[in-house]
Amino acid sequence: MRIGQGFDVHAFGEGDHLVLGGIKIPFDKGFKAHSDGDVLIHAIIDALLGAVGLGDIGQHFPDTDSTYRGISSVRLLEHVLNLVAEKGYRVENIDSTIVAQAPKMSPYIAKMRECLAGVIGVPEGAVNVKATTTEKLGYTGRGEGIACYAVCLLVMK
């Protein structure tokens, strides 16, 4: 068994939607990011990479490489899942927390879980997505961006 933890944050910028957990969420802002800015998937990627000792998302998908400009984070996750499998592991479960003052996440969480479980190849019950606010404290509370935390458990195939 191996565990990993991940964290990511992106500031808001111009746009009319966010992508979280592979799901498009209507919003009056977008993320400032090199890829689609999906902070939830980025945190999961870092948890997976950490669990198998392969560094972090920036090492594998640097923001200086134009190959990844605007790329769907689902594609990045698929690549990382292949790396995890090459190391002889599979995902047992993921637990994650989105930290955002807005938009309200509850209408989208079930779709995020469904999308993530499908990409990862596990039952929906093996992927947990929670959301919380910071009661208007800090950068997320001031509506400057969104942060995500994730942990994973990997087991031998």
Side-chain angles (χ1 to χ4, degrees):
M1 265 190 279
R2 305 287 298 256
I3 61 165
Q5 64 88 30
F7 171 80
D8 196 42
V9 63
H10 280 290
F12 290 134
E14 293 183 18
D16 62 0
H17 72 278
L18 303 172
V19 178
L20 285 167
I23 303 301
K24 186 175 177 179
I25 298 173
F27 193 54
D28 62 353
K29 299 172 185 150
F31 284 126
K32 291 181 185 176
H34 187 68
S35 68
D36 63 7
D38 190 327
V39 292
L40 176 54
I41 288 182
H42 295 179
I44 291 169
I45 286 172
D46 267 350
L48 294 168
L49 289 170
V52 292
L54 291 177
D56 64 31
I57 193 169
Q59 291 172 288
H60 292 266
F61 313 108
D63 62 8
T64 55
D65 187 337
S66 62
T67 304
Y68 306 114
R69 178 163 299 287
I71 194 168
S72 166
S73 294
V74 168
R75 289 187 51 211
L76 305 179
L77 177 57
E78 290 168 341
H79 177 80
V80 168
L81 289 166
N82 286 331
L83 296 175
V84 168
E86 287 172 10
K87 290 283 192 175
Y89 291 92
R90 66 173 177 77
V91 174
E92 180 71 17
N93 78 299
I94 302 282
D95 187 26
S96 60
T97 304
I98 302 167
V99 183
Q101 201 64 42
K104 187 142 182 80
M105 296 295 157
S106 58
Y108 307 101
I109 286 177
K111 287 183 180 182
M112 289 181 210
R113 291 181 66 207
E114 179 183 0
C115 177
L116 291 167
V119 173
I120 297 167
V122 296
E124 281 183 48
V127 177
N128 194 41
V129 177
K130 305 177 296 293
T132 191
T133 70
T134 58
E135 303 296 329
K136 299 188 178 182
L137 298 173
Y139 59 88
T140 59
R142 291 188 299 268
E144 296 172 18
I146 292 180
C148 289
Y149 296 88
V151 293
C152 69
L153 175 65
L154 304 182
V155 294
M156 295 293 287
K157 292 195 296 181

